[in-house]
Amino acid sequence: MKVAAEKIPFNVELIRQDFPILKRKINGYPLIYFDNAATSQTPKQVIDTIVDYYSNYNANIHRGVHTLSQEATDKYEGARKKIQQHFNAANPYEIIFTSGTTHGINLVANGFASELKKGDEVLISALEHHSNIVPWQMLCEKTGAILKVIPMNENGELIFAEYEKLLSGKTKMVFVNHVSNALGTVNPIKKIIDKAHEAGAVVLVDGAQAAPHIKADVQALDVDFYLVSAHKMCGPTGVGVLYGKEKWLKKLPPYQGGGEMIATVTFEKTTYADLPHKFEAGTPNICGGIAFGAALDYMNEVGFHEIAEYEHQLLEYATKQLLAIEGVKIYGVSKEKTAVISFNIEGIHPYDIGTIIDKLGVAVRTGHHCAQPIMDFYKIPGTVRASFSFYNTMEEIDLFIEAVKRAKAMLE
Amino acid sequence: MNKIKEIQEEIVDEFSMFDDWMQRYEYMIELGKSLPLIEEKYKVEENLIKGCQSKVWVHAELEDEKLVFTADSDAIITKGIVAILIRAFSNQHPSEILEADTQFIDEIGLKEHLSPTRANGLVSMIKQLKMYAIAYQTQLD
């Protein structure tokens, strides 16, 4: 029996002690890690889980009769249940472990190749990054379906009226991210899903950028597919989850053949295993899955409500401070956004700013953020993207602002 | 000692006057301003160096059996890096360019830029300069 621990109030200093990497110095300066939208840092609770796995119960799962195998299987399936509960999926077998969001997208795109025919339409949003564009382009090439794009406005928001216009009886699928990686825009996915369903289309939502900040309820959203990556939410790299409605997962063909995904094999015919194993060929990332569960435990203990509230304060403070610097332009000013600021300083290349502030210990992302169409929309080569997490502080933002000012003075 | 090595040592000397990274970067930015600029008409896709987060164009012409480079970049630090390279390699015989090493980059404290995964593409720039040298060397042979 677990004893319910008393909830600890949000305390960033205590939280920071859980992240060993935050003690690092870069070029003699304390690390200021503002590249959380690329990957989040890992708390010791998750690192300990990984060490515990390899130290105490590393074994292949599902097949072994021995103790270690059963322990590993229990923990792995336990993690699946945790993930199911976190996203409020109806059944644990609707949670498919993947290597990450991109893998999940490809799994669904591949499965729909037989569902689409020439002239069908699929919609993606102008806010997508390459991994939610390319698989659908490939699918359209294969099937003769037509790819259409929901446009965005200057604020970095999707134009809902245009989306409604694009929807028709021909629309078979809609793909949209919950949160844009390049701009931080939170898309109104519930409205998008409802409209798509009215038109009879299936909806896939890339939740990779949303999941670290927003607890999505897949049943309330009524979404058909929802995808996340563990490494953006305090978990390890190389593991993620595809949530799919049971009816779709049953209908779609397997993505990869191999062990684990079969029921019986003869040289004449193979029958596939039941969900979720049908989509989990080969030995999975066992440790990764278990560590993902630990990461969710950790984040839930901190509290998603508390995380969202605190990150919003960081965003507001950083936005205000940045805009006080002459020549700063922020891209993506949607009312609903996560703690991401994509910006440029007039006349200065984002790469130059990123290089100089790295020298001062600040880690940001520069470039097109794998979302070239968004950069083309704004007619810029790229941006500097600072993305915050709940373990960042106001003091770090002050140091970041100082670093940006120093870079600006050097580069002007 | 060949000419390229001499220039490289000159550059290393200049950089040795600075004791922190900031001064080195400031000097590099300064050197970027003296970069012999590529003519606008050569700023085309074929002259763009792949593997850089910023845009870098390099053009080469043969004058009296020597290779003359011009270049440009939309990022100021990258412009500084390419200026340093071109200062060492421009106006040299293709065979000498082919023989030259780039150890001096390490010596001036810019070693981090030599990593092949580095987004500024210094390694790609060096490769491109050498490719020009190979192409023109074949012409001279």
Side-chain angles (χ1 to χ4, degrees):
Chain A
M1 264 290 281
K2 248 188 169 173
V3 181
E6 211 170 299
K7 181 112 182 74
I8 306 159
F10 187 89
N11 179 334
V12 72
E13 287 312 321
L14 282 179
I15 287 168
R16 288 177 70 81
Q17 288 172 19
D18 292 333
F19 291 82
I21 209 168
L22 298 179
K23 294 185 187 75
R24 262 206 73 173
K25 290 242 178 356
I26 304 290
N27 300 315
Y29 296 90
L31 164 69
I32 296 176
Y33 187 77
F34 284 174
D35 195 18
N36 294 287
T39 203
S40 55
Q41 294 305 342
T42 318
K44 66 173 189 286
Q45 288 82 342
V46 174
I47 298 169
D48 290 347
T49 303
I50 295 167
V51 173
D52 182 40
Y53 171 79
Y54 283 110
S55 310
N56 294 310
Y57 61 97
N58 176 29
N60 210 334
I61 52 171
H62 295 142
R63 287 177 293 255
V65 292
H66 58 81
T67 307
L68 288 191
S69 173
Q70 284 178 6
E71 280 178 19
T73 304
D74 287 349
K75 293 262 192 187
Y76 189 67
E77 291 307 323
R80 195 192 303 275
K81 281 207 183 75
K82 275 180 197 171
I83 296 164
Q84 174 214 347
Q85 283 159 7
H86 179 82
F87 292 105
N88 193 31
N91 302 292
Y93 53 77
E94 291 173 316
I95 299 296
I96 310 295
F97 278 114
T98 62
S99 68
T101 300
T102 302
H103 173 202
I105 292 171
N106 280 286
L107 189 158
V108 179
N110 179 73
F112 269 89
S114 52
E115 297 286 317
L116 291 179
K117 57 181 193 306
K118 201 167 181 239
D120 283 345
E121 293 180 359
V122 296
L123 303 185
I124 63 168
S125 93
L127 283 169
E128 300 313 308
H129 65 133
H130 300 161
S131 65
N132 207 18
I133 299 174
V134 182
W136 309 118
Q137 282 175 335
M138 287 161 66
L139 177 64
C140 286
E141 266 169 35
K142 214 186 296 178
T143 60
I146 301 155
L147 192 72
K148 293 196 165 177
V149 181
I150 310 163
M152 62 187 257
N153 64 22
E154 272 292 316
N155 289 344
E157 299 159 325
L158 294 179
I159 306 170
F160 202 80
E162 293 295 325
Y163 167 56
E164 287 183 295
K165 271 190 232 163
L166 284 171
L167 280 171
S168 76
K170 286 185 192 161
T171 315
K172 291 293 179 291
M173 306 180 84
V174 175
F175 312 111
V176 62
N177 54 33
H178 193 168
V179 168
S180 150
N181 77 313
L183 306 177
T185 309
V186 181
N187 287 314
I189 53 162
K190 178 64 184 151
K191 268 168 71 185
I192 290 172
I193 292 163
D194 288 348
K195 277 285 163 198
H197 284 165
E198 276 172 33
V202 178
V203 188
L204 174 139
V205 174
D206 170 353
Q209 293 292 335
H213 317 283
I214 301 163
K215 196 168 178 167
D217 178 330
V218 291
Q219 290 190 77
L221 287 170
D222 195 25
V223 65
D224 299 292
F225 298 99
Y226 194 86
L227 300 122
V228 298
S229 292
H231 74 95
K232 296 204 196 280
M233 34 198 326
C234 299
T237 54
V239 64
V241 146
L242 160 68
Y243 158 79
K245 275 185 188 163
E246 182 178 359
K247 68 166 183 184
W248 282 115
L249 293 178
K250 280 199 164 143
K251 201 169 173 191
L252 293 185
Y255 180 43
Q256 290 170 323
E260 289 263 355
M261 54 77 74
I262 44 89
T264 60
V265 177
T266 65
F267 284 110
E268 288 70 38
K269 181 156 179 64
T270 292
T271 54
Y272 303 124
D274 288 336
L275 291 174
H277 309 294
K278 173 176 145 187
F279 293 107
E280 294 180 354
T283 298
N285 184 346
I286 304 164
C287 177
I290 296 167
F292 188 8
L296 279 182
D297 283 345
Y298 181 81
M299 291 194 76
N300 278 306
E301 202 156 302
V302 176
F304 273 80
H305 177 73
E306 286 78 1
I307 288 173
E309 209 166 71
Y310 179 70
E311 287 178 348
H312 187 70
Q313 289 170 20
L314 292 174
L315 175 69
E316 296 236 298
Y317 182 67
T319 304
K320 202 173 137 226
Q321 298 292 315
L322 257 184
L323 286 174
I325 300 172
E326 211 191 308
V328 165
K329 182 171 163 55
I330 292 178
Y331 298 90
V333 289
S334 163
K335 272 183 222 85
E336 292 287 329
K337 67 182 267 192
T338 53
V340 169
I341 306 181
S342 228
F343 71 97
N344 274 330
I345 301 179
E346 212 187 327
I348 304 178
H349 198 282
Y351 165 79
D352 286 329
I353 297 171
T355 304
I356 299 292
I357 68 177
D358 168 59
K359 285 280 178 190
L360 296 162
V362 183
V364 291
R365 180 83 189 269
T366 64
H368 53 57
H369 318 300
C370 296
Q372 268 172 355
I374 300 179
M375 303 302 131
D376 292 345
F377 175 86
Y378 288 115
K379 298 187 176 61
I380 49 175
T383 66
V384 181
R385 183 188 68 186
S387 51
F388 313 114
S389 185
F390 59 92
Y391 44 73
N392 291 130
T393 66
M394 300 289 174
E395 293 74 33
E396 286 182 312
I397 290 173
D398 289 337
L399 291 169
F400 158 69
I401 295 290
E402 281 314 307
V404 171
K405 283 182 180 165
R406 235 171 120 179
K408 182 176 183 255
M410 272 180 85
L411 296 163
E412 263 174 347
Chain B
M1 187 158 56
N2 73 30
K3 196 81 192 350
I4 294 179
K5 195 84 194 154
E6 251 172 59
I7 302 170
Q8 288 183 348
E9 291 197 351
E10 205 177 279
I11 298 171
V12 171
D13 270 356
E14 289 166 23
F15 272 87
S16 68
M17 296 187 306
F18 310 117
D19 40 39
D20 73 356
W21 69 269
M22 209 162 155
Q23 289 172 332
R24 281 200 293 273
Y25 270 71
E26 274 167 352
Y27 186 60
M28 191 157 65
I29 290 165
E30 205 49 45
L31 289 177
K33 292 174 186 161
S34 64
L35 174 71
L37 286 180
I38 186 171
E39 280 182 65
E40 281 301 315
K41 66 176 176 188
Y42 294 128
K43 281 192 177 179
V44 289
E45 186 70 26
E46 303 93 86
N47 289 334
L48 208 55
I49 292 177
K50 307 280 178 289
C52 308
Q53 222 183 66
S54 49
K55 282 187 171 151
V56 187
W57 299 267
V58 174
H59 175 69
E61 263 173 49
L62 200 61
E63 282 175 25
D64 301 330
E65 301 206 340
K66 284 177 176 174
L67 213 45
V68 177
F69 292 110
T70 53
D72 200 5
S73 171
D74 57 352
I76 193 167
I77 293 171
T78 316
K79 209 167 154 176
I81 293 171
V82 75
I84 291 169
L85 276 184
I86 283 184
R87 189 169 141 200
F89 289 126
S90 203
N91 273 311
Q92 307 299 332
H93 194 276
S95 63
E96 289 188 355
I97 295 172
L98 282 173
E99 280 165 22
D101 65 28
T102 49
Q103 180 63 29
F104 79 114
I105 295 286
D106 190 353
E107 288 167 35
I108 60 179
L110 296 173
K111 191 183 177 181
E112 69 224 39
H113 293 283
L114 273 177
S115 144
T117 54
R118 189 83 191 182
N120 69 29
L122 175 60
V123 172
S124 314
M125 285 183 222
I126 294 168
K127 206 165 130 197
Q128 190 58 39
L129 299 188
K130 297 235 174 194
M131 287 302 282
Y132 277 122
I134 291 175
Y136 283 100
Q137 178 67 46
T138 335
Q139 269 190 30
L140 290 173
D141 291 345

